[in-house]
Each structure stands twice: as C-alpha cells, then as structure tokens.
Amino acid sequence: MTVRAARPRASLEAVAVVVPAHDEEDLLPAALAALRTAARHPALARVRVLTVVVADACRDDTASLAREAGATVVTGRFRNPGRARALGVRRALRELGGPAARTWIATTDADSEVPPGWLAHHLARAREGWEAVVGTVVLPRTSPLADRLRARYEETRPPGGEWRHPHVHGANLGVGAAAYRSVGGFPPLASGEDHALVDALKRAGHRVLPTALCPVLTSPRVRGRARGGFADDLAALGPCPGHPEEA
C-alpha cells in the first residue's frame, strides 16, 4: 500500500465524535465513559470535543442514557449505519460551527471502548498532516476469539519494516472535516460505509494513515446490530466453543 507523506498542519480547534447506536443500552454507558476519559487528555485542553450519539431505531433506553451521559442525541429510524454516521457528523459540525480545516471527526461504535489516549493520538496524527487515521480494534483478552483476531491481523504483517495494516473499522476511524466534506461524507450504506469513505479519500488523493498504534477495544459478539459488520467478520473466523452466543 502506498501512503502519501504528510505535511504539518495548523492546530485543531474542535473534535466531533460520532457514535451510531441501535439498542445499545447495555454497552453504550461504558463506551461514553471511555470517550469522556479520552476527551480529558491534557493534549485536548484547548480543543472543544462534542460527542453525538445517533440513536437509530432504538426500542430501549439508548437515547436517554446517552443524554444522561452528556452526549448530544439525534434519533432516526434508518437501521443503516451509513445514514446514521452521516447524520451524526452533520449535526456535530453544525453545532461546533468552526472552520472545517480546524475540525476533526472521530467515529467509534456503541459496543466499543476507546483507550484514554485515543483522541490525543488522532489529533497528533492530524497535526502531522494526516487527513484520515484508520485504526484497528482488539477484543477483550477473555474472549475465545481474541487470539484468532490477532492472528488474522498478523497474517497481513510483512516481515520487517513499518506495518500499514489493510483493515478499516468504523469503531476506530478519524478524518479531517474538510477532507470528509470534499468526498461527500459517509455514503448511505447498510454496511461498508467506513470502507467506502476511506476508499473515496484515497481516490481523491487525501493523506490516509493506516495505523495499529492505538487500537480500540470492541465487543466480541458474533451477532451484530448491522448485517455485514464486524460481528459477521468474527463469526467468519469459525465455530468458537465457549463463546456466550454459541452456548
């Protein structure tokens, strides 16, 4: 994979964090708590961080829990991660209101917990001049699928040198607002909207950094909220005796 060299850029003033959610009352509180911790990182002391949860066709308390946690909440009935992420980004950028060149968009998932340095990592890469950061995910060590996922990643690692992984996860993705708008944003896809956005950024010549340096902890479930999502990837790793959803 060819990765264009980055150029240093001006400081960012705001970060829009977007979290699509469908019936995620069980896992969303932990996801939002992790985001609050990440937003308190000293590197973001002068950066405004706005978290938007898009409650998509929820039948549980996802929306109310998100509001109680301090997130901005928008609702819809899409059952479509692409439309949900795009709606969340629109709302966040409208509310932040600053120049696109000084705003970063970060997306994660409601069943995922970002590490404390996640937003600082994204902003550091953005300040280096990268226009998009494509990260990886990990599973809890207690999951019987954790070793298989790690092995799948390692299969793509070439011997020696720096590793630019080929994976894309909406749970660990960041992009400058100007680059995002230039390619039309997340397409309205029921699955693969994250891949489509990254592909569009590359085709347009934006500087895209695949990196495994700051992975996001995500749910090991194999029955996902969205068809064609990461849960299906985990299910494709094969039967897994001992997994709670296979009991």
Side-chain angles (χ1 to χ4, degrees), residues 67-93:
R67 291 189 184 95
E68 290 173 7
T72 295
V73 177
V74 293
T75 60
R77 301 192 63 81
F78 311 130
R79 292 308 309 276
N80 182 303
R83 292 183 64 185
R85 288 192 204 275
L87 174 63
V89 172
R90 288 198 301 274
R91 173 60 182 270
L93 295 183

Side-chain angles (χ1 to χ4, degrees), residues 134-166:
V134 184
T136 56
V137 298
V138 293
L139 299 180
R141 293 181 179 179
T142 55
S143 170
L145 288 169
D147 288 343
R148 295 189 194 181
L149 178 66
R150 186 163 50 250
R152 191 187 74 162
Y153 280 156
E154 292 301 320
E155 287 173 355
T156 64
R157 184 191 293 272
E162 190 174 4
W163 181 45
R164 304 293 192 189
H165 70 83

Side-chain angles (χ1 to χ4, degrees), residues 86-114:
L87 174 63
V89 172
R90 288 198 301 274
R91 173 60 182 270
L93 295 183
R94 186 169 66 247
E95 192 163 328
L96 288 170
R102 294 181 179 271
T103 303
W104 187 257
I105 300 163
T107 77
T108 187
D109 288 338
D111 67 339
S112 301
E113 297 175 35
V114 304

Side-chain angles (χ1 to χ4, degrees), residues 11 19 30 35-36 42 86 123 150 171 175 235 242:
S11 296
V19 187
L35 285 169
R36 286 196 301 274
L123 262 62
R150 186 163 50 250
V175 58

Side-chain angles (χ1 to χ4, degrees), residues 16 35 53 59 65 73 94 106 109 122 187 194 221 238 245:
L35 285 169
V53 173
R59 300 159 295 184
L65 288 170
V73 177
R94 186 169 66 247
D109 288 338
H122 275 241
D194 42 7
R221 63 189 176 197
E245 291 172 300

